[in-house]
Amino acid sequence: MKFNLIGDIHGRTTWQQLVREDAINVFLGDYLDPYADEGFAPGEEEYANLLSIIRYKQEHPETVLLLGNHDLHYLWHEHYSRYNAEHAERYAHLLSEHLHLFQAAYAIGDRVLVTHAGVTRPWCELAGIEPNLSAAALAEAICQRMTDAKQRHWFTAASTFEMNDYCGMSATASPLWVRPQALVHHGELGLVADHHLHRAASAMQGGAGGGVTVALVLMQIGLGKVLAGGGST
């Protein structure tokens, strides 16, 4: 089985050329909030693009839609960079209506954990998750906390950022927020996607604590990465 990892969307329509029929397509989140210098207009086109992704998932149920921090702030009203107040209500309604199609984490077998930003041991401990679990068990625990109204605060900046941290550099930042620099220093367990380093090259890296392989995939704009089952390229 092959897995096609598609990096941050941010309004881009290039995902339509990246999806593959011979693999499970895994979207890594951040569907909204385009970069101003890329020419993708926020508003109606951005909304239509997200709706197209949702419809693709409905037509291809095996597709995985992960959530990112730029999706979260429309759901839970935390305002991060490029938050679109003018269209926020429409975005929130669309995401909320189809929230059952999205998830916070996904496991490829027992050794590869896929999230929007990555997973640190300090965050696992903060959220009451045993870090030395299989990827499948970690993904289940992370998703359970996201869907539990009493525990979903573990994904917010307010609950997980250390003092004076405004962009996810804390070791306790969540799988939707944590930055690559924090993962390097605090025992990464998960997949680092197109979060912050969205112009970096693709790569694979193995070997992480707890027996979980780290898939370090720093996506180029417009570039997909196909993984075979078990984490090999």
Side-chain angles (χ1 to χ4, degrees), residues 137-173:
L138 279 170
E140 182 180 0
I142 292 168
C143 288
Q144 187 274 330
R145 279 155 180 75
M146 172 65 79
T147 56
D148 185 341
K150 294 182 179 180
Q151 298 194 70
R152 62 179 52 163
H153 64 279
W154 295 125
F155 296 88
T156 66
S159 294
T160 62
F161 281 19
E162 296 169 355
M163 188 176 296
N164 299 321
D165 178 10
Y166 301 101
C167 63
M169 295 298 296
S170 304
T172 52

PDB file of all heavy atoms in Angstrom, residues 137-173:
ATOM      1  N   ALA A 137      -1.602   3.384  18.195  1.00  0.00           N
ATOM      2  CA  ALA A 137      -2.155   3.712  19.508  1.00  0.00           C
ATOM      3  C   ALA A 137      -2.024   5.201  19.803  1.00  0.00           C
ATOM      4  O   ALA A 137      -2.921   5.818  20.396  1.00  0.00           O
ATOM      5  CB  ALA A 137      -1.457   2.890  20.586  1.00  0.00           C
ATOM      6  N   LEU A 138      -0.906   5.810  19.392  1.00  0.00           N
ATOM      7  CA  LEU A 138      -0.729   7.250  19.575  1.00  0.00           C
ATOM      8  C   LEU A 138      -1.771   8.019  18.774  1.00  0.00           C
ATOM      9  O   LEU A 138      -2.376   8.969  19.265  1.00  0.00           O
ATOM     10  CB  LEU A 138       0.676   7.670  19.142  1.00  0.00           C
ATOM     11  CG  LEU A 138       1.806   7.443  20.140  1.00  0.00           C
ATOM     12  CD1 LEU A 138       3.160   7.690  19.471  1.00  0.00           C
ATOM     13  CD2 LEU A 138       1.643   8.363  21.348  1.00  0.00           C
ATOM     14  N   ALA A 139      -1.969   7.626  17.523  1.00  0.00           N
ATOM     15  CA  ALA A 139      -2.946   8.305  16.675  1.00  0.00           C
ATOM     16  C   ALA A 139      -4.342   8.222  17.288  1.00  0.00           C
ATOM     17  O   ALA A 139      -5.090   9.204  17.314  1.00  0.00           O
ATOM     18  CB  ALA A 139      -2.938   7.708  15.272  1.00  0.00           C
ATOM     19  N   GLU A 140      -4.693   7.054  17.799  1.00  0.00           N
ATOM     20  CA  GLU A 140      -6.006   6.877  18.424  1.00  0.00           C
ATOM     21  C   GLU A 140      -6.166   7.785  19.638  1.00  0.00           C
ATOM     22  O   GLU A 140      -7.221   8.419  19.830  1.00  0.00           O
ATOM     23  CB  GLU A 140      -6.205   5.419  18.828  1.00  0.00           C
ATOM     24  CG  GLU A 140      -7.570   5.133  19.448  1.00  0.00           C
ATOM     25  CD  GLU A 140      -7.749   3.676  19.832  1.00  0.00           C
ATOM     26  OE1 GLU A 140      -6.812   2.873  19.628  1.00  0.00           O
ATOM     27  OE2 GLU A 140      -8.831   3.334  20.349  1.00  0.00           O
ATOM     28  N   ALA A 141      -5.119   7.857  20.462  1.00  0.00           N
ATOM     29  CA  ALA A 141      -5.188   8.687  21.662  1.00  0.00           C
ATOM     30  C   ALA A 141      -5.276  10.169  21.314  1.00  0.00           C
ATOM     31  O   ALA A 141      -6.027  10.929  21.945  1.00  0.00           O
ATOM     32  CB  ALA A 141      -3.956   8.429  22.536  1.00  0.00           C
ATOM     33  N   ILE A 142      -4.526  10.591  20.315  1.00  0.00           N
ATOM     34  CA  ILE A 142      -4.551  11.997  19.890  1.00  0.00           C
ATOM     35  C   ILE A 142      -5.925  12.356  19.334  1.00  0.00           C
ATOM     36  O   ILE A 142      -6.509  13.387  19.680  1.00  0.00           O
ATOM     37  CB  ILE A 142      -3.450  12.247  18.843  1.00  0.00           C
ATOM     38  CG1 ILE A 142      -2.069  12.132  19.505  1.00  0.00           C
ATOM     39  CG2 ILE A 142      -3.611  13.622  18.197  1.00  0.00           C
ATOM     40  CD1 ILE A 142      -0.918  12.087  18.512  1.00  0.00           C
ATOM     41  N   CYS A 143      -6.475  11.496  18.481  1.00  0.00           N
ATOM     42  CA  CYS A 143      -7.795  11.752  17.892  1.00  0.00           C
ATOM     43  C   CYS A 143      -8.878  11.766  18.965  1.00  0.00           C
ATOM     44  O   CYS A 143      -9.820  12.571  18.907  1.00  0.00           O
ATOM     45  CB  CYS A 143      -8.117  10.703  16.838  1.00  0.00           C
ATOM     46  SG  CYS A 143      -7.145  10.868  15.315  1.00  0.00           S
ATOM     47  N   GLN A 144      -8.741  10.902  19.956  1.00  0.00           N
ATOM     48  CA  GLN A 144      -9.734  10.845  21.032  1.00  0.00           C
ATOM     49  C   GLN A 144      -9.771  12.160  21.801  1.00  0.00           C
ATOM     50  O   GLN A 144     -10.844  12.666  22.149  1.00  0.00           O
ATOM     51  CB  GLN A 144      -9.417   9.677  21.964  1.00  0.00           C
ATOM     52  CG  GLN A 144     -10.476   9.408  23.029  1.00  0.00           C
ATOM     53  CD  GLN A 144     -10.287  10.257  24.287  1.00  0.00           C
ATOM     54  OE1 GLN A 144      -9.158  10.612  24.633  1.00  0.00           O
ATOM     55  NE2 GLN A 144     -11.379  10.592  24.952  1.00  0.00           N
ATOM     56  N   ARG A 145      -8.614  12.741  22.046  1.00  0.00           N
ATOM     57  CA  ARG A 145      -8.564  14.005  22.774  1.00  0.00           C
ATOM     58  C   ARG A 145      -9.110  15.152  21.939  1.00  0.00           C
ATOM     59  O   ARG A 145      -9.703  16.088  22.465  1.00  0.00           O
ATOM     60  CB  ARG A 145      -7.134  14.275  23.256  1.00  0.00           C
ATOM     61  CG  ARG A 145      -6.818  13.497  24.533  1.00  0.00           C
ATOM     62  CD  ARG A 145      -5.345  13.240  24.714  1.00  0.00           C
ATOM     63  NE  ARG A 145      -5.114  12.492  25.956  1.00  0.00           N
ATOM     64  CZ  ARG A 145      -5.370  11.184  26.112  1.00  0.00           C
ATOM     65  NH1 ARG A 145      -5.880  10.493  25.103  1.00  0.00           N
ATOM     66  NH2 ARG A 145      -5.119  10.577  27.256  1.00  0.00           N
ATOM     67  N   MET A 146      -8.917  15.090  20.629  1.00  0.00           N
ATOM     68  CA  MET A 146      -9.450  16.128  19.763  1.00  0.00           C
ATOM     69  C   MET A 146     -10.982  16.114  19.739  1.00  0.00           C
ATOM     70  O   MET A 146     -11.634  17.155  19.682  1.00  0.00           O
ATOM     71  CB  MET A 146      -8.905  15.958  18.343  1.00  0.00           C
ATOM     72  CG  MET A 146      -9.535  16.879  17.310  1.00  0.00           C
ATOM     73  SD  MET A 146      -9.200  18.630  17.592  1.00  0.00           S
ATOM     74  CE  MET A 146      -7.533  18.727  16.935  1.00  0.00           C
ATOM     75  N   THR A 147     -11.583  14.938  19.788  1.00  0.00           N
ATOM     76  CA  THR A 147     -13.040  14.829  19.693  1.00  0.00           C
ATOM     77  C   THR A 147     -13.735  14.957  21.046  1.00  0.00           C
ATOM     78  O   THR A 147     -14.959  15.114  21.088  1.00  0.00           O
ATOM     79  CB  THR A 147     -13.444  13.487  19.047  1.00  0.00           C
ATOM     80  OG1 THR A 147     -12.873  12.406  19.793  1.00  0.00           O
ATOM     81  CG2 THR A 147     -12.937  13.413  17.612  1.00  0.00           C
ATOM     82  N   ASP A 148     -12.989  14.898  22.130  1.00  0.00           N
ATOM     83  CA  ASP A 148     -13.556  15.019  23.472  1.00  0.00           C
ATOM     84  C   ASP A 148     -13.575  16.495  23.871  1.00  0.00           C
ATOM     85  O   ASP A 148     -12.537  17.127  24.006  1.00  0.00           O
ATOM     86  CB  ASP A 148     -12.713  14.214  24.462  1.00  0.00           C
ATOM     87  CG  ASP A 148     -13.315  14.187  25.867  1.00  0.00           C
ATOM     88  OD1 ASP A 148     -14.158  15.053  26.183  1.00  0.00           O
ATOM     89  OD2 ASP A 148     -12.926  13.305  26.650  1.00  0.00           O
ATOM     90  N   ALA A 149     -14.769  17.050  24.047  1.00  0.00           N
ATOM     91  CA  ALA A 149     -14.903  18.473  24.354  1.00  0.00           C
ATOM     92  C   ALA A 149     -14.147  18.868  25.621  1.00  0.00           C
ATOM     93  O   ALA A 149     -13.703  20.012  25.756  1.00  0.00           O
ATOM     94  CB  ALA A 149     -16.380  18.835  24.499  1.00  0.00           C
ATOM     95  N   LYS A 150     -13.968  17.923  26.551  1.00  0.00           N
ATOM     96  CA  LYS A 150     -13.273  18.230  27.802  1.00  0.00           C
ATOM     97  C   LYS A 150     -11.760  18.163  27.669  1.00  0.00           C
ATOM     98  O   LYS A 150     -11.039  18.609  28.565  1.00  0.00           O
ATOM     99  CB  LYS A 150     -13.736  17.264  28.896  1.00  0.00           C
ATOM    100  CG  LYS A 150     -15.202  17.417  29.280  1.00  0.00           C
ATOM    101  CD  LYS A 150     -15.581  16.468  30.392  1.00  0.00           C
ATOM    102  CE  LYS A 150     -17.042  16.640  30.808  1.00  0.00           C
ATOM    103  NZ  LYS A 150     -17.427  15.707  31.907  1.00  0.00           N
ATOM    104  N   GLN A 151     -11.263  17.617  26.561  1.00  0.00           N
ATOM    105  CA  GLN A 151      -9.811  17.473  26.399  1.00  0.00           C
ATOM    106  C   GLN A 151      -9.240  18.200  25.180  1.00  0.00           C
ATOM    107  O   GLN A 151      -8.029  18.289  25.032  1.00  0.00           O
ATOM    108  CB  GLN A 151      -9.453  15.983  26.296  1.00  0.00           C
ATOM    109  CG  GLN A 151      -9.806  15.178  27.521  1.00  0.00           C
ATOM    110  CD  GLN A 151      -9.155  13.821  27.526  1.00  0.00           C
ATOM    111  OE1 GLN A 151      -7.945  13.692  27.678  1.00  0.00           O
ATOM    112  NE2 GLN A 151      -9.941  12.774  27.339  1.00  0.00           N
ATOM    113  N   ARG A 152     -10.096  18.726  24.329  1.00  0.00           N
ATOM    114  CA  ARG A 152      -9.598  19.349  23.101  1.00  0.00           C
ATOM    115  C   ARG A 152      -8.775  20.609  23.348  1.00  0.00           C
ATOM    116  O   ARG A 152      -8.069  21.081  22.463  1.00  0.00           O
ATOM    117  CB  ARG A 152     -10.752  19.657  22.154  1.00  0.00           C
ATOM    118  CG  ARG A 152     -11.768  20.645  22.685  1.00  0.00           C
ATOM    119  CD  ARG A 152     -12.882  20.922  21.675  1.00  0.00           C
ATOM    120  NE  ARG A 152     -13.500  19.722  21.179  1.00  0.00           N
ATOM    121  CZ  ARG A 152     -14.685  19.686  20.564  1.00  0.00           C
ATOM    122  NH1 ARG A 152     -15.360  20.817  20.396  1.00  0.00           N
ATOM    123  NH2 ARG A 152     -15.194  18.548  20.135  1.00  0.00           N
ATOM    124  N   HIS A 153      -8.840  21.145  24.569  1.00  0.00           N
ATOM    125  CA  HIS A 153      -8.014  22.314  24.870  1.00  0.00           C
ATOM    126  C   HIS A 153      -6.525  21.995  24.778  1.00  0.00           C
ATOM    127  O   HIS A 153      -5.701  22.911  24.668  1.00  0.00           O
ATOM    128  CB  HIS A 153      -8.338  22.863  26.265  1.00  0.00           C
ATOM    129  CG  HIS A 153      -8.024  21.922  27.381  1.00  0.00           C
ATOM    130  ND1 HIS A 153      -8.870  20.898  27.740  1.00  0.00           N
ATOM    131  CD2 HIS A 153      -6.947  21.826  28.203  1.00  0.00           C
ATOM    132  CE1 HIS A 153      -8.349  20.224  28.753  1.00  0.00           C
ATOM    133  NE2 HIS A 153      -7.177  20.759  29.048  1.00  0.00           N
ATOM    134  N   TRP A 154      -6.159  20.706  24.800  1.00  0.00           N
ATOM    135  CA  TRP A 154      -4.748  20.339  24.679  1.00  0.00           C
ATOM    136  C   TRP A 154      -4.192  20.672  23.301  1.00  0.00           C
ATOM    137  O   TRP A 154      -2.992  20.551  23.069  1.00  0.00           O
ATOM    138  CB  TRP A 154      -4.547  18.857  24.973  1.00  0.00           C
ATOM    139  CG  TRP A 154      -4.862  18.454  26.374  1.00  0.00           C
ATOM    140  CD1 TRP A 154      -5.721  17.475  26.776  1.00  0.00           C
ATOM    141  CD2 TRP A 154      -4.315  19.013  27.575  1.00  0.00           C
ATOM    142  NE1 TRP A 154      -5.761  17.402  28.148  1.00  0.00           N
ATOM    143  CE2 TRP A 154      -4.899  18.327  28.664  1.00  0.00           C
ATOM    144  CE3 TRP A 154      -3.396  20.034  27.831  1.00  0.00           C
ATOM    145  CZ2 TRP A 154      -4.590  18.637  29.987  1.00  0.00           C
ATOM    146  CZ3 TRP A 154      -3.086  20.340  29.153  1.00  0.00           C
ATOM    147  CH2 TRP A 154      -3.676  19.646  30.199  1.00  0.00           C
ATOM    148  N   PHE A 155      -5.035  21.097  22.371  1.00  0.00           N
ATOM    149  CA  PHE A 155      -4.575  21.462  21.036  1.00  0.00           C
ATOM    150  C   PHE A 155      -4.505  22.972  20.837  1.00  0.00           C
ATOM    151  O   PHE A 155      -4.043  23.436  19.797  1.00  0.00           O
ATOM    152  CB  PHE A 155      -5.505  20.855  19.977  1.00  0.00           C
ATOM    153  CG  PHE A 155      -5.478  19.349  19.976  1.00  0.00           C
ATOM    154  CD1 PHE A 155      -6.332  18.629  20.792  1.00  0.00           C
ATOM    155  CD2 PHE A 155      -4.587  18.654  19.178  1.00  0.00           C
ATOM    156  CE1 PHE A 155      -6.302  17.231  20.815  1.00  0.00           C
ATOM    157  CE2 PHE A 155      -4.547  17.266  19.188  1.00  0.00           C
ATOM    158  CZ  PHE A 155      -5.404  16.561  20.011  1.00  0.00           C
ATOM    159  N   THR A 156      -4.961  23.735  21.801  1.00  0.00           N
ATOM    160  CA  THR A 156      -4.986  25.185  21.649  1.00  0.00           C
ATOM    161  C   THR A 156      -3.655  25.812  22.057  1.00  0.00           C
ATOM    162  O   THR A 156      -2.899  25.253  22.865  1.00  0.00           O
ATOM    163  CB  THR A 156      -6.102  25.808  22.498  1.00  0.00           C
ATOM    164  OG1 THR A 156      -5.803  25.602  23.890  1.00  0.00           O
ATOM    165  CG2 THR A 156      -7.456  25.180  22.173  1.00  0.00           C
ATOM    166  N   ALA A 157      -3.393  26.979  21.508  1.00  0.00           N
ATOM    167  CA  ALA A 157      -2.184  27.709  21.880  1.00  0.00           C
ATOM    168  C   ALA A 157      -2.254  28.135  23.345  1.00  0.00           C
ATOM    169  O   ALA A 157      -1.263  28.081  24.077  1.00  0.00           O
ATOM    170  CB  ALA A 157      -2.011  28.933  20.977  1.00  0.00           C
ATOM    171  N   ALA A 158      -3.439  28.547  23.796  1.00  0.00           N
ATOM    172  CA  ALA A 158      -3.593  29.051  25.162  1.00  0.00           C
ATOM    173  C   ALA A 158      -3.219  28.012  26.207  1.00  0.00           C
ATOM    174  O   ALA A 158      -2.662  28.348  27.252  1.00  0.00           O
ATOM    175  CB  ALA A 158      -5.029  29.526  25.371  1.00  0.00           C
ATOM    176  N   SER A 159      -3.491  26.746  25.932  1.00  0.00           N
ATOM    177  CA  SER A 159      -3.252  25.694  26.925  1.00  0.00           C
ATOM    178  C   SER A 159      -1.876  25.056  26.831  1.00  0.00           C
ATOM    179  O   SER A 159      -1.419  24.426  27.787  1.00  0.00           O
ATOM    180  CB  SER A 159      -4.308  24.593  26.784  1.00  0.00           C
ATOM    181  OG  SER A 159      -5.587  25.064  27.117  1.00  0.00           O
ATOM    182  N   THR A 160      -1.200  25.193  25.683  1.00  0.00           N
ATOM    183  CA  THR A 160       0.027  24.421  25.482  1.00  0.00           C
ATOM    184  C   THR A 160       1.277  25.257  25.216  1.00  0.00           C
ATOM    185  O   THR A 160       2.375  24.720  25.264  1.00  0.00           O
ATOM    186  CB  THR A 160      -0.151  23.440  24.312  1.00  0.00           C
ATOM    187  OG1 THR A 160      -0.409  24.167  23.106  1.00  0.00           O
ATOM    188  CG2 THR A 160      -1.312  22.497  24.570  1.00  0.00           C
ATOM    189  N   PHE A 161       1.122  26.542  24.952  1.00  0.00           N
ATOM    190  CA  PHE A 161       2.297  27.381  24.710  1.00  0.00           C
ATOM    191  C   PHE A 161       2.886  27.833  26.040  1.00  0.00           C
ATOM    192  O   PHE A 161       2.160  28.177  26.967  1.00  0.00           O
ATOM    193  CB  PHE A 161       1.933  28.621  23.902  1.00  0.00           C
ATOM    194  CG  PHE A 161       1.776  28.379  22.427  1.00  0.00           C
ATOM    195  CD1 PHE A 161       1.566  27.103  21.933  1.00  0.00           C
ATOM    196  CD2 PHE A 161       1.828  29.428  21.528  1.00  0.00           C
ATOM    197  CE1 PHE A 161       1.410  26.872  20.578  1.00  0.00           C
ATOM    198  CE2 PHE A 161       1.670  29.214  20.179  1.00  0.00           C
ATOM    199  CZ  PHE A 161       1.458  27.940  19.697  1.00  0.00           C
ATOM    200  N   GLU A 162       4.203  27.850  26.123  1.00  0.00           N
ATOM    201  CA  GLU A 162       4.860  28.401  27.290  1.00  0.00           C
ATOM    202  C   GLU A 162       4.811  29.926  27.220  1.00  0.00           C
ATOM    203  O   GLU A 162       4.526  30.512  26.175  1.00  0.00           O
ATOM    204  CB  GLU A 162       6.312  27.911  27.337  1.00  0.00           C
ATOM    205  CG  GLU A 162       6.423  26.399  27.516  1.00  0.00           C
ATOM    206  CD  GLU A 162       7.829  25.866  27.311  1.00  0.00           C
ATOM    207  OE1 GLU A 162       8.703  26.672  26.931  1.00  0.00           O
ATOM    208  OE2 GLU A 162       8.040  24.669  27.517  1.00  0.00           O
ATOM    209  N   MET A 163       5.097  30.582  28.315  1.00  0.00           N
ATOM    210  CA  MET A 163       5.035  32.032  28.385  1.00  0.00           C
ATOM    211  C   MET A 163       5.935  32.675  27.313  1.00  0.00           C
ATOM    212  O   MET A 163       7.044  32.210  27.064  1.00  0.00           O
ATOM    213  CB  MET A 163       5.450  32.519  29.780  1.00  0.00           C
ATOM    214  CG  MET A 163       5.237  34.016  30.017  1.00  0.00           C
ATOM    215  SD  MET A 163       5.623  34.504  31.716  1.00  0.00           S
ATOM    216  CE  MET A 163       4.386  33.587  32.622  1.00  0.00           C
ATOM    217  N   ASN A 164       5.434  33.696  26.671  1.00  0.00           N
ATOM    218  CA  ASN A 164       6.154  34.459  25.643  1.00  0.00           C
ATOM    219  C   ASN A 164       6.383  33.675  24.353  1.00  0.00           C
ATOM    220  O   ASN A 164       7.202  34.061  23.523  1.00  0.00           O
ATOM    221  CB  ASN A 164       7.505  34.982  26.171  1.00  0.00           C
ATOM    222  CG  ASN A 164       7.342  35.926  27.343  1.00  0.00           C
ATOM    223  OD1 ASN A 164       6.416  36.735  27.363  1.00  0.00           O
ATOM    224  ND2 ASN A 164       8.233  35.813  28.320  1.00  0.00           N
ATOM    225  N   ASP A 165       5.663  32.587  24.175  1.00  0.00           N
ATOM    226  CA  ASP A 165       5.728  31.835  22.920  1.00  0.00           C
ATOM    227  C   ASP A 165       4.485  32.173  22.106  1.00  0.00           C
ATOM    228  O   ASP A 165       3.367  31.962  22.548  1.00  0.00           O
ATOM    229  CB  ASP A 165       5.770  30.331  23.204  1.00  0.00           C
ATOM    230  CG  ASP A 165       5.779  29.490  21.933  1.00  0.00           C
ATOM    231  OD1 ASP A 165       5.947  30.068  20.843  1.00  0.00           O
ATOM    232  OD2 ASP A 165       5.615  28.271  22.031  1.00  0.00           O
ATOM    233  N   TYR A 166       4.709  32.681  20.897  1.00  0.00           N
ATOM    234  CA  TYR A 166       3.577  33.100  20.077  1.00  0.00           C
ATOM    235  C   TYR A 166       3.479  32.321  18.768  1.00  0.00           C
ATOM    236  O   TYR A 166       2.630  32.608  17.942  1.00  0.00           O
ATOM    237  CB  TYR A 166       3.675  34.603  19.778  1.00  0.00           C
ATOM    238  CG  TYR A 166       3.703  35.447  21.031  1.00  0.00           C
ATOM    239  CD1 TYR A 166       4.896  35.964  21.515  1.00  0.00           C
ATOM    240  CD2 TYR A 166       2.531  35.704  21.756  1.00  0.00           C
ATOM    241  CE1 TYR A 166       4.931  36.726  22.671  1.00  0.00           C
ATOM    242  CE2 TYR A 166       2.554  36.451  22.908  1.00  0.00           C
ATOM    243  CZ  TYR A 166       3.755  36.976  23.368  1.00  0.00           C
ATOM    244  OH  TYR A 166       3.785  37.719  24.524  1.00  0.00           O
ATOM    245  N   CYS A 167       4.346  31.325  18.578  1.00  0.00           N
ATOM    246  CA  CYS A 167       4.320  30.651  17.276  1.00  0.00           C
ATOM    247  C   CYS A 167       4.592  29.154  17.360  1.00  0.00           C
ATOM    248  O   CYS A 167       4.907  28.526  16.358  1.00  0.00           O
ATOM    249  CB  CYS A 167       5.298  31.311  16.307  1.00  0.00           C
ATOM    250  SG  CYS A 167       7.015  31.220  16.820  1.00  0.00           S
ATOM    251  N   GLY A 168       4.479  28.548  18.534  1.00  0.00           N
ATOM    252  CA  GLY A 168       4.603  27.105  18.638  1.00  0.00           C
ATOM    253  C   GLY A 168       5.995  26.576  18.892  1.00  0.00           C
ATOM    254  O   GLY A 168       6.266  25.402  18.646  1.00  0.00           O
ATOM    255  N   MET A 169       6.888  27.404  19.406  1.00  0.00           N
ATOM    256  CA  MET A 169       8.251  26.958  19.679  1.00  0.00           C
ATOM    257  C   MET A 169       8.352  26.154  20.971  1.00  0.00           C
ATOM    258  O   MET A 169       9.379  25.546  21.245  1.00  0.00           O
ATOM    259  CB  MET A 169       9.187  28.175  19.747  1.00  0.00           C
ATOM    260  CG  MET A 169       9.333  28.917  18.440  1.00  0.00           C
ATOM    261  SD  MET A 169      10.051  27.885  17.140  1.00  0.00           S
ATOM    262  CE  MET A 169      11.672  27.571  17.826  1.00  0.00           C
ATOM    263  N   SER A 170       7.300  26.155  21.778  1.00  0.00           N
ATOM    264  CA  SER A 170       7.322  25.423  23.046  1.00  0.00           C
ATOM    265  C   SER A 170       7.383  23.919  22.820  1.00  0.00           C
ATOM    266  O   SER A 170       6.777  23.397  21.878  1.00  0.00           O
ATOM    267  CB  SER A 170       6.064  25.742  23.867  1.00  0.00           C
ATOM    268  OG  SER A 170       5.916  27.122  24.084  1.00  0.00           O
ATOM    269  N   ALA A 171       8.073  23.228  23.706  1.00  0.00           N
ATOM    270  CA  ALA A 171       8.122  21.762  23.639  1.00  0.00           C
ATOM    271  C   ALA A 171       6.756  21.155  23.886  1.00  0.00           C
ATOM    272  O   ALA A 171       6.483  20.033  23.473  1.00  0.00           O
ATOM    273  CB  ALA A 171       9.123  21.235  24.662  1.00  0.00           C
ATOM    274  N   THR A 172       5.882  21.903  24.570  1.00  0.00           N
ATOM    275  CA  THR A 172       4.543  21.401  24.885  1.00  0.00           C
ATOM    276  C   THR A 172       3.506  21.799  23.833  1.00  0.00           C
ATOM    277  O   THR A 172       2.319  21.500  23.998  1.00  0.00           O
ATOM    278  CB  THR A 172       4.095  21.945  26.246  1.00  0.00           C
ATOM    279  OG1 THR A 172       4.255  23.373  26.258  1.00  0.00           O
ATOM    280  CG2 THR A 172       4.913  21.330  27.368  1.00  0.00           C
ATOM    281  N   ALA A 173       3.908  22.458  22.752  1.00  0.00           N
ATOM    282  CA  ALA A 173       2.959  22.829  21.701  1.00  0.00           C
ATOM    283  C   ALA A 173       2.366  21.565  21.081  1.00  0.00           C
ATOM    284  O   ALA A 173       3.005  20.522  21.003  1.00  0.00           O
ATOM    285  CB  ALA A 173       3.653  23.683  20.642  1.00  0.00           C
TER     286      ALA A 173
END
